[in-house]
């Protein structure tokens, strides 16, 4: 799901973790559970395990056999779904939930998912991970047909398509609707009598099926959300599959034309949690293997291998094991970080304030260091990290990156800067090395990355993954982007609600 | 506008003003201003003057020439629109606003008006005073046609009818929509280039037009909202009129079949503020004349005339002037009352706690007292008041009521108890006298009331007002009520939002 | 009690009720109850009835037989003591409470009373109405002796004097302490085994004793706080009396040198509630009699007598009854007023915005009007009221004031402007008449006022009341004021606490 | 500093990080800066770097040349000192700050430091890390002498001793006061003209001096607070030193009788941040060396070395390097953890919910695992961790602990459970092994620990550190503990403040 940041002016703030601003960001995680007691409490735990996929808002919808109930909040799951009162306000034995990343503040409560709609065949709630690439085009058409949109979310297009479908059953309406949308979508849909898990034909974003000890079903973006509630991993939801889970069993539909799957390869590099199992591999082991590939492709004579915590750690361990250079904690992370921090004065800003990371100078002084990070986006973080390590006394700083150069934007559910802000789109590796101030810099090769994921290499004729951010090879057409139906052509409402 | 109280379970609370719970309640006030600087600030003031028409929530939508902006909040205007920051978040030279009474808490933020919709011809906002009597019937049909409702408000029916209309211009769509609805509606509608004031064909709820010193226009439910911003009273919006105010002038449309007007007579008795001018009369003077009629119809030998403050005061003054009995303050009102108060223990409850009113015992002791109140609804207040006055030492307590017995529910925008909770529907005046513990009790006659409003008496063949609450003579059919399309047949969403 | 407004910079705000800013303000109310179930809930009700004596903060301390408990809050009683949870956090069968007026916001939580101290002989809590005139002088001495002050309240001086006293029993320590203080104090003190009611030797501020139906005792600033909990009025606490209420009975001590009582006469004019009984008279009846005196002393040929609501109403009724001119509601008060409101733009400010009052123009047009108000302080309100009534069409406006000209500051617990801001200190009646724009203006005479209170007139040799605000005759010396020990010589702490 | 948890009933809550509840907890961190622009902003950053020493509340006091200013808040620094408005409310070029751990909620705002007192010689603020062992004994005496305590903090004893001292200068008063107290204290004191850093004669808790690039001084509990503001490490404040920093230079006083220093050894094991430099050693390197000692003392045949994140990581790296067994991330930490979480149902609780940690099962399955943790307190965490790792498929689980068995409570500023809750006080290692369900369990020896810190071993005749938690050898007498002057003999006030 997406909401366009141009529509609402985000309140300016400085994050405590400025380094994280220089990461690509997964925009959502989804969770669903069916026919199990404490559906809401389990959803809270499942969403908590998916918190890394979106920290700005969370929501849960339950169905109690007669009515739907929802609670939504800006902020993290653990801060907003932490009272018995809230859990009790979400009765029922089935639920869907959502965590979301976004750039704006209070103005966007209406965008927080799951979205709910009451249609002729009954109510339903929908949670979406991914992004539609023809949402504004469809939205314009739907408004002409009389639909009233309440949010700026692309996901709302789906519920209007469902509501206006001429089909009778909700399943047929959903199929009718999804055949009109383009883009990436992993969906968890809750109806009066079913939980429906859906993955787009290319399976861009992940979605897995799990089973509770009592045999009931859960769906989640990642397996780590199964672990936390002691569910076992059953299988992934297949690309193009509509999996309908009812009290009397499950039904697997494949209504879309068959396409070759192209799951997002960046999930392996950064988005998914290291303890998740994704597309047949342990995420942690894939990341370690990328470190191994890096050590083979771009060896370096050094005293220490230092991860940029925490996302560079598995690749750093792999690099250290392959190279025989000791793995050490040369950068210490401050775990106490709030959502925002003071806008510092120029004086303080020039100090290069280290709100989140500090160099462990007693370890680094006089050493030749290999720094391992997962990716370079704008490069602003890399400059600071290299400078910090050097200021702490390191003799040499060699940067190794566990992904190829990121030089294209994502349109399938990942928050990326404009292309011209991507460092790798602006300069070659030699220039980047100079820019970030390292003694050397290297990125794992595309084939090295594919090898780490278990392939022989990239099949250029028919790539096994979506790697558009590295290659510009977009597997799904970008209708809105190319057609110019941009959101700011609409006179949408900026809205403030003083709640309670 | 209405939202059905059965849908959302209101949190139980005890009001500080238990006596006020025994009043009929106007459900809304509307305000609009066009082509004037500081549109938002003027709307805040206008709504503040209309606060007595709805204290539970308030909202304002402005249009800045390019975008619409809104701020809505639960609670009173003065508590929620009191910062420069909020006013600045509402830029523009045109605005509509709304105050609303309702029974539930945070769950209903989506019901707070003005409602906004983006349709093919552009955005528009709507504020509604009144109640539609075929809303659920229309809602069911609209959902079948693919509309997705976001609120439980009857007013939302209007915006979907507009969105789905096959007409092209917004005015034509509005006319198309309103021809399908039944019930009471005084509307203020804001579009990109106009402010539209609309009153239903019978003119049940009031709506007036005012003029700012610079010639620009305002509309409001009552004239007191004109006074506060130094606007002059121009005229009332006529029953059945659609008044379109644009930058280049106003246009008055009358698209509905002509009907005899039947404005609500209870506005004169209780709802409107005494300093308002309503349907050609001063509200204060009408109320004093009701007191005069009461003194003539039901004189009493007494020492003091005591108003039940504050709504009984004008009629008490009229009664005192006509009878020659001194007017005195025998009941003192505590002005410091919060929204809710402690749920007292049985012990305290039995004390007959007087959170809002206290007898002025040094005045009442040993005296024969005429108590004047505006109406009796359930009678629970009257019992306590009579008991309090008697406990303070009054020798005799004679109750005089400035309205006929209220024995029918209102379906046109006033919050009334179920019919079987109305005291006058359950017993005759003799039984009521005994029930409330008074030495005598009398209600002004229906003709006396009509005389006070300036008529010769009630024209039974063709009544000049809607007086259904006294007579059961409902001028507009009650489609939902009689057809059984009750709201709880829908599986609506209970929703909680932890906003900020 | 007092806290010095110079110490903390109050956040600028505009009150909704600008007219009320032009009143003198009582600074506190106190309440105590001993040996009765639900002590906290009864205190909440008692303080609610005393809310007019201080709206800015409230606090209650209870004793449960082993520990003291307290809850304090900025804001009104009904908004802050309204949950069962709060009442349950205040267990015990004895309690003291306090309401307070002050000019500053969150910074002053430490000043909110009752104050508590743990001393050698046990804990005690103290609630104070009045103001000490040698507090800063004593404070300086106490700090030299090692006392650490936590507030800027004059009341804290008392607890340090008690703590440092060489006497053994708490009563003896209290007497020791109070013999050192000068000024006005009505105190309710809670100890482990007693409730103590104390009034300064001149009895400047009121304090009454009541009895619950079960025989237990309550004390309160006014009788209206007895009415709300069904307590009967026993007697006033005498000037100079220390009344100790214990489980086994009461004891009345008179340790101070006997002085002639000089209770505050302004309590009769404005501070006390009209339904209270004060110093042997009904407050309401005294106020009506002032109106009668005014009508006799300064009659006027007019069509209507109009009160400035609500404080002018009783005198207006008296004036109307004595003069035979009809009493009418010519100014309507908006009861929905929040604590603050928007800082309006110049344009709106110039409109003479009427946030709280509106002229009932349909009643006033063309009439000769007598306006009755209780007092004139700065005169800013009177200007606006006269202008509003005249703009509504009144032919003549004659102002009658139910007190003599207020031309001196109070130092005994009433918030008054600096002397040079008092209108009557700056000009004579003729100039004032012109200043406020009235056709005539008159104040009740000092003897007229004394007659209304039941005296033959003022005994100039030995006045029966403190009337320093009218006469400059201060019955208690002003040590701090004259000695220059002003608070801003201390480097006090400005403090913000982000509580929850 | 300490506040007694028995006095206030903490609201029950379940932390998101249940494992952390099974740690000893440092109770405070202090910071001070003198004669530098942006004193408040620098203090915010310094306290943020010390956040691991106390997450429950934070406070800063500044002095602007004329007045002191303070802001205090429950919660973390980054959540409460994050606005320009707050920074601006703290003007001045000198400041002291404090972070604090505590067990209770809103009731204890008065305990949040720095504490402030206005005494005869001027105001001063004090921030305290440590705990006094004769605080209640002194408190009782001070109350007898007339002191009024406002908090339950032991630190308040110091300010009353200062206030009541007969010495003239603040320094002499401080020395007079500190000669009377027993226990551990590292203090930062702010006066009108100086910043004073003080460490108790044994130097139990750390305190360091740093220098800003412009030569001005800072003091802090750890060097990591210097790094964040680009201050350089100058030296530690010596045990028994009173270091007075003034505009014209510093002065070092040593007024206490000379004693052998006994700094807390647990700072090296767990409390201090790994990037700090403590008592002449890198904390990270000491921890790694403990892992090396462990690998030598208690080797094990295994496939993987797994840290219990994050506190076990440095020792695990040391263990892996010494043993040659690969270091792997077998437990993944969820970084998104709020302060509290839902009280789960029994069903969910029995699942062994993993809110903070998850086993990386794809790495652990079938492997013999060495788990490295820093300490065992109650053992409740170890049981869960071992069970989680085993459930994820580990073939063998060998636990190695980077500290000796913890079998005595700390009375010098660390929050420890009652002695009988400490696992090592209840059973021997064999029983503990069985209790936690490990295949083997070993603790580093006391001499091994001393070797890691750089000694030859523990000097039993004159130990180099305070290691009372392992040995019961308390270097400072426990007057309160042994004398029975326990806090609950006082009738202290439970207090709730509803702020704003």
């Amino acid at each position: 799901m997406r909401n366009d940041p141009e529509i609402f002016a985000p309140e300016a703030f400085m994050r405590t973790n400025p380094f994280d601003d220089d990461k690509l960001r997964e925009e959502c995680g989804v969770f669903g559970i069916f026919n199990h007691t404490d559906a809401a409490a389990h959803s809270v735990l499942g969403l908590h395990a998916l918190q890394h996929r979106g920290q700005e808002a969370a929501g849960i919808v339950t169905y109690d056999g007669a009515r739907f109930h929802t609670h939504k909040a800006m902020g993290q799951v653990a801060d907003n779904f932490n009272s018995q009162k809230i859990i009790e306000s979400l009765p029922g034995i089935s639920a869907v939930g959502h965590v979301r990343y976004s750039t704006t503040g209070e103005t966007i409560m209406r965008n927080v998912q799951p979205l709910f709609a009451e249609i002729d065949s009954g109510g339903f709630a929908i949670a979406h991970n991914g992004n539609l690439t023809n949402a504004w085009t469809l939205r314009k058409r739907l408004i002409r047909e009389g639909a009233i949109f309440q949010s700026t979310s692309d996901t709302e297009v789906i519920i209007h398509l469902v509501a206006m479908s001429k089909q009778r059953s909700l399943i047929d309406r959903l199929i009718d609707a999804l055949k009109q949308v383009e883009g990436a979508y992993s969906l968890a849909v809750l109806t009066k009598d079913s939980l429906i898990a859906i993955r787009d034909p290319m399976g861009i974003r992940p979605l897995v099926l799990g089973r509770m000890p009592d045999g009931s079903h859960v769906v989640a973006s990642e397996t780590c959300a199964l672990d936390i509630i002691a569910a076992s991993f059953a299988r992934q939801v297949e690309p193009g599959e509509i999996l309908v889970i009812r009290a009397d069993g499950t039904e697997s539909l494949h209504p879309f034309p068959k396409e070759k799957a192209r799951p997002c390869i960046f999930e392996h590099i950064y988005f998914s949690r290291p303890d998740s199992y994704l597309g047949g591999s342990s995420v942690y082991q894939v990341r370690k293997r990328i470190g191994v590939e890096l050590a083979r492709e771009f060896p370096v004579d050094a005293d220490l291998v230092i991860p940029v915590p925490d996302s560079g750690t598995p690749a750093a361990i792999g690099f250290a094991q392959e190279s025989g250079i000791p793995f050490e904690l040369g950068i210490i992370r401050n775990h106490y970080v709030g959502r925002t921090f003071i806008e510092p004065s120029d004086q303080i800003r020039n100090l290069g304030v280290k709100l989140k990371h500090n160099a462990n100078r007693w370890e680094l002084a006089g050493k030749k260091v290999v720094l391992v990070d997962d990716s370079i986006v704008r490069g602003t973080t890399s400059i600071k990290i290299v400078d910090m390590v050097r200021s702490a006394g390191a003799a040499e700083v060699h940067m190794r990156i566990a992904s190829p150069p990121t030089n294209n934007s994502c349109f399938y559910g990942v928050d990326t800067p404009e292309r011209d802000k991507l460092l790798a789109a602006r300069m070659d590796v030699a220039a980047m090395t100079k820019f970030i101030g390292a003694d050397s810099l290297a990125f794992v090769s595309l084939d090295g990355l594919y090898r780490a994921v278990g392939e022989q290499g990239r099949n250029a004729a028919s790539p096994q993954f979506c790697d558009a951010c590295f290659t510009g090879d977009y597997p799904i057409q970008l209708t809105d982007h190319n057609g110019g139906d941009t959101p700011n052509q609409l006179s949408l409402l900026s809205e403030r609600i003083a709640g309670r």
Side-chain angles (χ1 to χ4, degrees), chain A residues 114-401:
Chain A
L115 298 184
F116 176 84
E118 179 83 38
I119 63 171
D120 198 24
S121 59
F124 73 102
I126 190 164
H128 175 203
N129 176 207
N131 189 54
L132 306 186
T133 52
N134 67 337
W136 288 105
T137 308
L138 289 170
R139 184 185 182 100
K140 243 183 150 170
R141 192 194 87 201
L142 285 161
I143 286 175
R144 269 197 307 272
E145 292 170 4
I148 296 179
F149 277 73
Q150 292 291 330
S151 77
T152 55
S153 158
D154 60 328
T155 310
E156 195 181 348
V157 165
I158 300 177
I159 65 173
H160 283 288
L161 288 171
V162 170
M164 289 195 167
S165 169
K166 302 303 179 200
Q167 301 297 320
R168 292 202 60 86
S169 78
L170 185 64
I171 298 291
D172 288 340
R173 285 170 179 245
L174 263 170
I175 293 171
D176 187 17
L178 293 174
K179 283 183 170 170
Q180 299 173 66
V181 308
E182 299 164 1
Y185 50 88
S186 285
L187 304 173
V189 179
L190 183 66
T191 77
K192 288 188 295 183
D193 51 15
S194 65
L195 169 67
I196 308 171
I198 304 172
R199 213 165 155 211
D200 65 72
M202 290 203 173
I204 304 272
R205 307 254 68 88
L207 193 61
V208 297
L209 177 68
R211 198 158 288 139
M212 298 297 291
D214 70 355
S216 57
H217 294 86
V218 290
V219 298
S221 292
E222 292 182 37
T223 63
C224 62
L226 307 181
D227 293 344
I228 200 172
I229 54 172
S232 58
F233 170 62
R235 64 171 175 89
Q236 68 171 357
V237 176
E238 296 303 324
E241 180 179 8
I242 294 183
L243 177 65
V244 186
I245 301 165
R246 293 202 188 81
D248 57 0
T250 65
E251 182 182 7
S252 174
L253 308 175
H254 292 270
F256 308 113
K258 182 76 184 172
E259 297 189 63
K260 179 169 165 49
R262 296 282 296 273
C264 168
I265 202 164
F266 218 97
E267 291 279 351
H268 291 276
I269 296 167
Y270 176 71
F271 300 143
S272 288
R273 249 174 57 171
D275 49 338
S276 282
Y277 187 78
L278 176 69
S281 306
S282 152
V283 172
Y284 174 74
Q285 288 172 355
V286 166
R287 288 181 191 169
K288 266 187 60 185
R289 283 199 299 264
I290 301 177
V292 170
E293 294 288 337
L294 261 174
R296 288 177 188 161
E297 293 186 337
F298 303 101
V300 57
D301 171 38
D303 302 314
L304 307 171
V305 175
I306 301 288
V308 178
D310 287 342
S311 54
T313 302
I317 291 174
F319 194 104
Q321 288 179 357
E322 177 68 15
S323 66
I325 305 169
F327 169 90
E328 301 285 356
L329 302 186
I331 300 172
I332 301 300
R333 177 172 168 172
N334 183 347
H335 289 300
Y336 303 98
V337 282
R339 192 170 172 284
T340 63
F341 221 112
I342 52 167
E343 188 84 28
S345 66
D346 279 348
Q347 183 195 4
I348 289 179
R349 197 179 295 116
N350 290 336
L351 291 178
V353 170
K354 292 144 261 179
L355 293 167
K356 186 179 175 192
H357 288 147
N358 190 26
N360 183 359
R361 60 181 60 243
W362 326 98
E363 191 66 28
L364 297 171
K367 301 291 174 53
K368 289 182 283 185
V369 171
V370 184
L371 270 179
V372 183
D373 204 353
D374 64 287
S375 59
I376 291 182
V377 181
R378 290 179 185 83
T380 49
T381 295
S382 304
I383 290 178
K384 290 175 190 164
I385 289 273
V386 170
D387 178 62
M388 184 173 75
V389 168
R390 222 183 264 288
S391 300
E396 294 178 17
V397 182
H398 302 273
M399 182 75 101
R400 293 295 176 271
I401 304 298

Side-chain angles (χ1 to χ4, degrees), chain A residues 24 262-271 290 373-377 401-412 414 416 419 422 424-425 432 443-450 453 458 463 465-475:
Chain A
L24 302 190
R262 296 282 296 273
C264 168
I265 202 164
F266 218 97
E267 291 279 351
H268 291 276
I269 296 167
Y270 176 71
F271 300 143
I290 301 177
D373 204 353
D374 64 287
S375 59
I376 291 182
V377 181
I401 304 298
S403 60
T406 304
N407 47 27
N408 290 280
S409 296
C410 179
F411 296 89
Y412 306 134
V414 175
T416 35
R419 187 167 192 280
L422 294 170
M432 290 167 77
F443 296 81
V444 76
S445 70
L446 205 52
D447 281 324
L449 172 61
Y450 272 72
V453 187
R458 186 178 195 259
F465 288 90
C466 176
D467 53 14
C469 50
F470 307 129
T471 62
D473 173 7
Y474 292 97

